[in-house]
């Protein structure tokens, strides 16, 4: 039913833009349901990037072709089955060149093997879960814990002589749990000990049982790994239980304005690692420009995930420029592999897949949250 | 004597299954009339139709005023009270609370306490147990409470469904005397009863139902004498 | 036209698999219990089948049989556990079982824990799903007409009379639970070898309630009911995709309206005659 | 020992949040044999009611509480009219599905209106925490616990000592006989759903303030746990659900505290199922459904 509607539109639009070709990307993310908090921001970032490029008249590839960008959004609604179905439908649509993949790991993890089979490029926009078996068609734009978490702990160890840390993490989110386990496993090597390893489930409200146990260990470092709703409640309940400790988390969640509001600023001074960007980073005006465009278009501030969506679309356009094709997925995949140190708003992008689709040059910095959506790099 | 209740070509069916077909009966004010019949003859369906608890076709009039199709709680407000088959007390409520439910429509203000005393006089055993849960009463006591619950709403028409069911003979004897006392105080009674012999002894008039249809009707004496009633129901 | 078929295939496969699991639930429910464990049973089948094909290289057909056996045994035991419970309490017991299985799956690293078990080979195709569905429909049809089918419905309608008629209620309830669980596990194995990932989230309460809604919405008195229920309620969200963000608002409202208009279920015995 | 007391207190506080949501759930279930799967969304509506009140209307506690309760009651009455009354006498699973559909629609409606992120509810009750020896508790926790106790006692008084409360109990046991004695069963159904929605609204406001946020999907976890409490308690005594709610909370806190919180729900559900194996009709007995 949906395809007929699209086909009809194309027929109508075709005569007007006959000479201008279209590059068609499929954007699959959680638009409704519990993971929509991230997915909807990525979708907005992708759509804004496409609109900005088209408003500027589209883009020209290296072989003289002029293209406009078309994005079709598919809602996986926090379900693994729908994510895989949408990917299979995108692959079946010959006009789709590549897929901007989901931020929730529940969507990206099952897509990786399917992308390899159907030979269609997929790029993750925020899913940090460890992937058991990569294939040349799966990429990941955001930095991953495997690279960043040990680095962060080493920096905190050298700078503040961190001796022991307590961990409280979401056992139902594979990205969060993966990073918490990484920090536990690299304890001996970096030289600190893990005094508590407490789990909770997405959707929980009360963390006092776990926090009371952590309070008893009198640790002065607590690492919190959870989605926005749970992370904010842990921080609030730590304050209520009178726990005074430095707080640490992964991929920049403290810098998310929503978390700042939910904790009424209690995340100030929290340490996290993130790609190199800040909402009001004077050194990089293009970030401020995007944030301003974003606010005008959607009425709320962009979050880290909005930048991932914007960057994913632009990296794809850069690859399309190099591939000089709108339909040949193999040529497009090879072009993606030539992306070397291309700067994006959330850092830099370098891909060499095989062996894996990780973003090799995703700059990782350890930062301290200073205000609503602002932070500064740890010198 | 005016006719309190008139029912004309009453049809009741549950889905495709007809329970009562073309039934007609009357209850003049002040009389006791019985509805006799074997199990499944449609006695309870008839009663439930009059009470507004099941959907029925045909005309049902209380003092000439049509009530078929009205909801049960509105029919009750017109002065109709029910002693259900198997008594169906509110077993998780106390005896007193069951009486309060009996007078739910009239409220507990004007004269409720007086009416309760009057009932306790009639059923002294209930006074002793009035704080007990209805579920903990004996069979006979439950029967008394079921009648008391109906009387406390000061109805004009009392419908009793199998009052003697499951009671010891001696208790049944006392029960039927009480029914006559209640009637003597001016309350018209429509009684459904399988115990045809006892019922005919105190009823003025009776209707015999067979498989949802009226098989016979007439003054009790006439029905007592007719041999097919004798054979069918009195184990003659 | 070929890509239109390719477009519909994922939806039709999911609908087919959901129908198989719903038919398993239908058979379990035919003897009375309100099971909210069938998502967990399907998940267990999926996990076992996936481990056997991925880690041990078993052929797909053997993996299916192993999954079904696991389902059957677990279903038998669950049936025995709840035989003396009333309908809603039995439901809660199956709820406890389902949630417990989900939490345990989260904590077993061998099967991937929260990261789910991935890397499963693709085995399930559209023709295979509908061939299996046809077989299950035949089984359900024969079951309805079989002695066990009648005994089960007697047990559901009134256990007392069924007991009096000499029907061994304990055996009927646990056997029907076992058969239903085996079919659900079969659906789970097929799903795992199509989605290529088997995760703990699919085993919880809310997924099981989904299957329960398929069966009761479709009509739980004749085997066509769960088939129509599963097909309609799987394809409906896809058809509603055009409404993007409002998709589930419309889905919820439609579900409520349809169940109010047809409380006895879409398909009833009478409507089938 | 100190940690044990703190964990038990944590458990009682968590349990009171399950209990206060379960009270309304079990009232509707025991009186009308209806499993109202939209009840968690009445609770969510209460939390968003508090959010709207604090942002646009008033931050006075009573005002916020009243606002939340009225929003929830309004949603409750609409749902009763459209999705519960048409199928009230039916097989228990039919209203279950009808209200599940409403629940799904309300969740995603809230997501469309308030967004998919949680929204912050400012602390209307000035934050404070009290320490008694080794044990500490916050003012908002005590307020939530107090609201749960007040609601339970209020419901107990209503059900036992008022005319309409008695009628509700009569309808619960024998709807037909109650109707024959002048009780308008439809009105009692509206009244019962209305009261349960008011209580869910109060729960939504207090839990929304306790955890300082409202979220379109906050009802899911409460729906599951209060449904379990309701079944384990049995539907004969409404207060039973309060006791089971507190038990579940303490059980979860102790398992998280002393075993491992990864198995928290598995152990909690496991224990509740064991209770049912020995008391198939629920801890406090129930009417047949």
């Amino acid at each position: 039913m949906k395809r007929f509607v699209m086909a009809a539109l194309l027929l109508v639009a075709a005569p007007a833009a006959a000479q201008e070709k279209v590059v068609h990307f499929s954007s699959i993310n959680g638009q409704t349901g519990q993971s929509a908090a991230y997915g909807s921001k990525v979708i907005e970032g992708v759509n804004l990037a496409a609109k900005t490029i088209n408003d500027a008249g589209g883009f020209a590839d290296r072989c003289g072709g002029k293209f406009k960008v078309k994005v079709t959004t598919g809602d996986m609604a926090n379900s693994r089955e729908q994510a895989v179905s949408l990917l299979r439908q995108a692959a079946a649509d010959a006009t789709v060149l590549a897929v901007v993949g989901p931020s929730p790991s529940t969507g990206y993890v099952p897509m990786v093997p399917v992308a390899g089979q159907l030979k269609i490029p997929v790029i993750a926009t925020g899913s940090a879960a460890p992937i058991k078996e990569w294939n040349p068609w799966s990429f990941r734009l955001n930095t991953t814990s495997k690279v960043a978490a040990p680095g962060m702990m080493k920096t905190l160890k050298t700078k503040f002589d961190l001796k022991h840390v307590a961990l409280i993490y979401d056992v139902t989110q594979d990205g969060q749990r993966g990073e918490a386990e990484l920090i536990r496993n690299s304890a001996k090597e970096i030289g600190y000990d893990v005094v508590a390893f407490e789990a909770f489930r997405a959707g929980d409200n009360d963390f006092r049982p776990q926090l009371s146990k952590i309070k008893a260990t009198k640790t002065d470092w607590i690492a919190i790994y959870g989605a926005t709703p749970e992370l904010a409640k842990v921080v609030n309940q730590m304050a209520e239980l009178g726990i005074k400790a430095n707080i640490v988390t992964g991929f920049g969640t403290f810098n998310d304005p929503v978390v700042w509001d939910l904790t009424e600023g209690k995340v100030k001074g929290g340490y996290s690692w993130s790609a190199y960007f800040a909402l009001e980073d004077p050194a990089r005006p293009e970030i401020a420009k995007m944030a301003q465009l974003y606010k005008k278009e959607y009425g709320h501030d962009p979050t880290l995930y909005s930048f991932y969506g914007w960057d994913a679309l632009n990296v794809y356009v850069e690859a399309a420029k190099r591939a000089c094709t709108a339909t040949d997925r193999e040529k497009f995949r090879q072009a993606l592999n030539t992306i070397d140190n291309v700067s994006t708003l959330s850092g830099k992008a370098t891909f060499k897949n095989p062996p894996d689709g990780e973003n090799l040059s995703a700059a990782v910095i350890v930062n301290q949250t200073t205000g609503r959506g602002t932070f500064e790099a740890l010198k | 004597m005016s006719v309190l209740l008139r029912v004309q070509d009453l049809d009741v069916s549950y889905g495709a299954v007809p329970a009562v077909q073309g039934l007609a009966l009357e209850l003049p004010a002040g009389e006791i009339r019985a509805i006799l019949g074997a199990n499944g003859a449609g006695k309870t369906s008839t009663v439930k139709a009059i009470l507004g608890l099941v959907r029925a076709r045909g005309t049902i009039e209380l003092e000439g005023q049509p009530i078929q199709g009205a909801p049960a709680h509105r029919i009750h407000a017109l002065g109709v009270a029910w002693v259900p088959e198997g008594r169906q007390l509110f077993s998780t409520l106390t005896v007193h609370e069951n009486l309060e439910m009996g007078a739910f429509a009239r409220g507990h203000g004007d004269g409720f306490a007086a009416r309760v005393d009057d009932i306790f006089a009639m059923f002294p055993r209930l006074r002793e147990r009035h704080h007990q849960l209805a579920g903990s009463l004996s069979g006979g006591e439950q029967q008394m409470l079921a009648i008391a619950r109906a009387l406390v709403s000061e109805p004009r028409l009392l419908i009793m469904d199998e009052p003697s069911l499951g009671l010891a003979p001696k208790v049944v004897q006392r029960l039927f005397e009480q029914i006559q006392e209640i009637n003597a105080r001016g309350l018209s009674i429509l009684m459904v009863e399988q115990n045809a012999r006892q019922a005919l002894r105190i009823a003025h008039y009776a209707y015999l139902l067979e498989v949802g249809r009226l098989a016979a009707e007439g003054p009790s004496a006439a029905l007592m004498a007719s041999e097919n009633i004798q054979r069918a129901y009195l184990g003659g | 036209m070929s890509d239109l078929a390719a477009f519909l295939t994922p939806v039709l496969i999911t609908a087919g698999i959901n129908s198989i699991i719903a038919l398993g639930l239908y058979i379990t429910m035919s003897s009375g219990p309100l099971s909210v464990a069938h998502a967990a049973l399907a998940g267990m089948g999926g996990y076992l089948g996936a481990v056997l094909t991925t880690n041990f290289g078993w052929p797909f057909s053997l993996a299916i049989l192993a999954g079904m056996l696991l389902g059957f045994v677990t279903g038998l035991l669950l049936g025995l556990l709840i035989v003396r419970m009333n309908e809603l309490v039995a439901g809660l017991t199956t709820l406890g079982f389902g949630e417990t299985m989900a939490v345990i799956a989260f904590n077993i690293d061998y099967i991937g824990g929260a990261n789910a078990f991935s890397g499963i080979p693709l085995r399930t195709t559209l023709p295979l799903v509908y061939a299996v569905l046809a077989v299950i429909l035949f089984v359900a049809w024969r079951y309805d007409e079989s002695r066990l089918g009648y005994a089960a419905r007697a047990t559901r309608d009134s256990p007392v009379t069924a007991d009096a008629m000499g029907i061994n209620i304990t055996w009927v309830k646990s056997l029907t639970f076992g058969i239903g669980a085996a079919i659900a596990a079969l659906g789970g194995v097929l799903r795992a070898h199509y989605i290529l990932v088997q995760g703990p989230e699919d085993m919880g309460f809310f997924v099981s309630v989904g299957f329960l809604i398929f069966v009761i919405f479709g009509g739980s008195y004749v085997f066509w009911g769960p088939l129509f229920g599963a097909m309609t309620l799987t394809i409906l969200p896809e058809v509603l995709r055009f409404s993007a963000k409002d998709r589930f608002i419309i889905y919820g409202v439609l579900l409520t309206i349809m169940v109010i208009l047809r409380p006895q279920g879409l398909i009833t015995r009478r409507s089938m005659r | 020992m100190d940690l044990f007391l703190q964990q038990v207190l944590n458990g009682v506080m968590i349990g009171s949040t399950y209990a206060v949501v379960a009270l309304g759930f079990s009232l509707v279930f025991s009186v009308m044999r209806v499993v109202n799967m939209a009840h968690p969304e009445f609770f969510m509506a209460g939390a968003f009611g508090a959010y709207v009140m604090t942002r646009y209307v008033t931050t006075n506690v009573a005002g916020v509480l009243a606002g939340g309760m009225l929003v929830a009651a309004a949603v409750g009455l609409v749902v009763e009219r459209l999705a519960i009354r048409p199928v009230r006498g039916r097989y228990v699973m039919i209203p279950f599905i009808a209200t599940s559909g409403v629940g799904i629609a309300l969740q995603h409606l809230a997501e469309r209106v308030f967004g998919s992120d949680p929204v912050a509810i400012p602390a209307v009750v000035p934050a404070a925490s009290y320490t008694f020896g080794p044990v500490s508790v916050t003012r908002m926790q005590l307020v939530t616990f107090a609201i749960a106790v007040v609601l339970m006692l209020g419901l107990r008084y209503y059900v036992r000592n008022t005319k309409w409360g008695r009628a509700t109990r009569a309808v619960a046991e024998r709807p037909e006989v109650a109707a024959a004695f002048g009780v308008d069963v439809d009105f009692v159904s509206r009244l019962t759903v209305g009261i349960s929605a008011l209580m869910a609204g109060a729960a939504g406001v207090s839990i929304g303030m306790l955890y300082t946020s409202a979220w379109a999907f906050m009802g899911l976890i409460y729906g599951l746990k209060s449904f379990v409490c309701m079944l384990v308690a049995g539907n004969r005594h409404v207060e039973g659900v309060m006791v089971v709610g507190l038990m579940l909370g303490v059980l979860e806190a102790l398992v998280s505290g002393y075993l491992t919180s990864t198995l928290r729900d598995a152990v909690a559900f496991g224990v509740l199922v064991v209770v049912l194996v020995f008391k198939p009709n629920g801890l406090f007995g129930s009417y047949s459904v």
Side-chain angles (χ1 to χ4, degrees), chain A residues 1-4 31-33 40 44 74-77 80-82 84-86 88-90 92-94 106 109-111 113-114 117 129-130 132-133 170-175 177-178 181 201, chain C residues 3-4 6-8 10-11 14 18 55 99 102-103 106-107 109 113-122 191 194-202 237-239 241-242 244-248:
Chain A
M1 215 288 285
K2 182 169 82 77
R3 287 190 43 65
F4 296 125
Q31 200 173 22
T32 60
S40 53
E44 287 167 354
D75 172 24
M76 57 162 267
R80 176 177 295 114
E81 265 148 349
Q82 292 195 31
V84 170
S85 290
L86 287 167
R88 284 203 159 96
Q89 286 165 355
D93 176 350
T106 23
V109 168
M111 273 191 177
V114 177
Q117 254 170 46
K132 204 158 73 172
E133 231 177 288
D170 186 337
V171 74
T172 56
Q173 305 237 336
D174 29 33
R177 173 179 164 146
E181 281 165 354
R201 285 180 71 153
Chain C
D3 60 19
L4 177 64
F7 175 80
L8 291 181
V11 177
T14 310
N18 284 346
N55 293 0
E99 282 294 316
V103 170
F106 265 122
N107 289 284
D109 288 333
N115 305 341
F117 184 82
S118 51
I120 305 170
L122 176 68
R191 183 180 59 189
Y194 175 68
I195 306 285
L196 307 188
V197 165
Q198 175 61 52
E201 305 85 4
D202 319 339
E238 296 304 320
V239 166
R241 262 193 198 290
F242 66 91
K245 286 200 171 188
D246 303 326
R247 186 154 68 111
F248 283 102

Side-chain angles (χ1 to χ4, degrees), chain D residues 20-28 31-32 36 39 42-43 68-70 72-77 80 150-152 154-159 162-169 187-203 238:
Chain D
V20 79
V21 178
L23 271 177
F25 214 161
S26 108
L27 174 65
V28 168
V31 169
M32 298 157 54
N36 176 10
H39 185 73
F42 298 169
F43 156 71
M69 289 171 82
L70 287 178
V75 171
L77 289 177
E80 192 275 340
V150 163
L151 284 182
M152 198 271 287
L155 186 64
R156 222 170 102 87
Y157 178 80
Y158 165 74
V159 165
T162 66
K163 173 179 179 179
W164 283 104
R166 236 188 333 272
T168 308
R169 273 171 34 218
F187 175 74
V188 168
S189 138
R190 264 199 315 283
L191 187 64
T192 307
V193 172
I195 289 172
S196 85
L198 275 173
M199 291 201 292
V238 171

Side-chain angles (χ1 to χ4, degrees), chain A residues 119-366:
Chain A
K119 297 194 175 7
I120 181 167
V122 169
I123 192 162
T125 55
S127 156
I131 298 292
K132 204 158 73 172
E133 231 177 288
W134 281 96
N135 57 60
W137 296 86
S138 309
F139 295 81
R140 177 159 32 205
L141 178 75
N142 53 291
T143 9
T144 59
S145 357
K146 184 156 56 70
V147 172
M152 172 174 70
M153 296 308 284
K154 221 179 261 111
T155 313
L156 294 177
K157 172 74 186 168
T158 49
K159 205 150 173 44
F160 304 104
D161 191 17
L162 176 145
K163 287 203 178 44
H164 34 67
V165 65
L167 277 146
I168 179 165
Y169 68 99
D170 186 337
V171 74
T172 56
Q173 305 237 336
D174 29 33
Q176 311 287 1
R177 173 179 164 146
E179 184 154 339
E181 281 165 354
L182 256 166
I183 291 183
R184 180 181 60 175
N185 301 342
S186 42
K188 252 185 289 331
E189 181 207 332
I190 300 175
Y192 53 86
D193 55 39
V194 174
V195 294
F197 194 66
E198 291 303 315
F200 59 81
R201 285 180 71 153
D204 282 354
N205 275 318
D206 204 298
F207 306 92
R208 288 185 178 81
Q210 293 94 328
L211 289 173
S212 307
K213 211 167 157 185
I214 289 176
K215 181 177 179 180
T217 67
K218 295 195 172 38
T219 173
D220 47 15
W221 286 89
I222 298 180
I224 310 168
Y225 282 96
T228 305
E230 289 76 29
L231 183 102
K233 287 171 187 152
V234 167
V235 171
N236 289 335
Q237 285 167 30
M238 270 171 57
E240 283 170 9
L241 283 173
I243 299 176
K244 303 261 179 310
N246 299 310
I247 47 176
V248 180
T249 190
F251 35 84
T253 323
F254 288 156
N255 309 334
D256 184 344
V258 173
V259 170
W260 180 272
D261 296 341
L262 287 174
T263 59
E264 287 158 346
K266 294 194 195 64
V267 286
K268 188 170 196 313
Y271 298 97
S272 63
W273 58 264
S274 71
Y276 180 76
F277 87 103
L279 273 180
E280 283 88 25
D281 182 342
R284 306 185 65 208
E286 67 273 19
I287 292 178
K289 190 165 86 56
M290 181 273 190
Q292 186 246 341
L293 269 175
Y294 192 95
K295 182 107 182 172
K296 188 160 72 64
E297 180 76 17
Y298 299 111
H300 51 258
D301 293 318
T303 67
L304 172 65
Y305 289 88
S306 319
F307 285 98
Y308 280 139
W310 172 280
D311 287 347
L313 197 281
N314 281 300
V315 162
Y316 265 9
V317 164
E318 179 55 32
K321 284 181 186 169
R322 301 182 184 190
C324 301
T325 169
T327 52
D328 184 337
R329 294 171 183 163
E330 175 55 34
K331 272 177 75 183
F332 181 79
R333 185 190 66 72
Q334 282 157 15
L336 261 180
N337 268 330
T338 65
I339 300 282
D340 191 351
N341 230 340
V342 166
S343 74
T344 64
L345 297 188
S346 57
K348 290 194 170 39
T350 308
F351 297 110
K352 281 289 170 290
N353 182 9
D356 62 38
E358 303 286 11
N359 178 352
L360 303 181
S361 71
V364 167
I365 56 146
V366 180

Side-chain angles (χ1 to χ4, degrees), chain C residues 34 88 209 213 216-217 252 255-257 259-264, chain D residues 25 28-29 32-39 42 79-80 82-103 189 193 227 289:
Chain C
L34 271 176
L88 274 171
V209 163
I213 290 178
I216 291 180
F217 173 80
L255 179 61
T256 302
I257 291 173
V259 88
I260 288 179
L261 295 181
R262 288 280 301 188
Q264 68 281 28
Chain D
F25 214 161
V28 168
F29 177 51
M32 298 157 54
R33 306 287 183 288
V34 161
V35 177
N36 176 10
M37 291 305 283
H39 185 73
F42 298 169
V79 169
E80 192 275 340
L82 299 179
I84 294 180
R85 193 179 311 162
V87 283
R88 192 151 44 86
R90 294 271 168 184
Y91 166 49
V92 70
M93 283 311 292
I94 303 302
F96 180 99
I97 295 176
T99 50
S100 297
V102 169
S189 138
V193 172
F227 181 61
V289 173

Side-chain angles (χ1 to χ4, degrees), chain B residues 180-201:
Chain B
Q180 283 179 305
E181 271 168 45
I182 296 166
N183 176 249
R185 289 159 59 158
L187 188 53
S188 325
I189 296 175
L190 184 64
M191 181 164 60
V192 164
E193 207 20 278
Q194 276 193 341
N195 187 336
R197 186 189 305 282
Q198 284 280 14
L200 287 174
R201 197 170 288 127

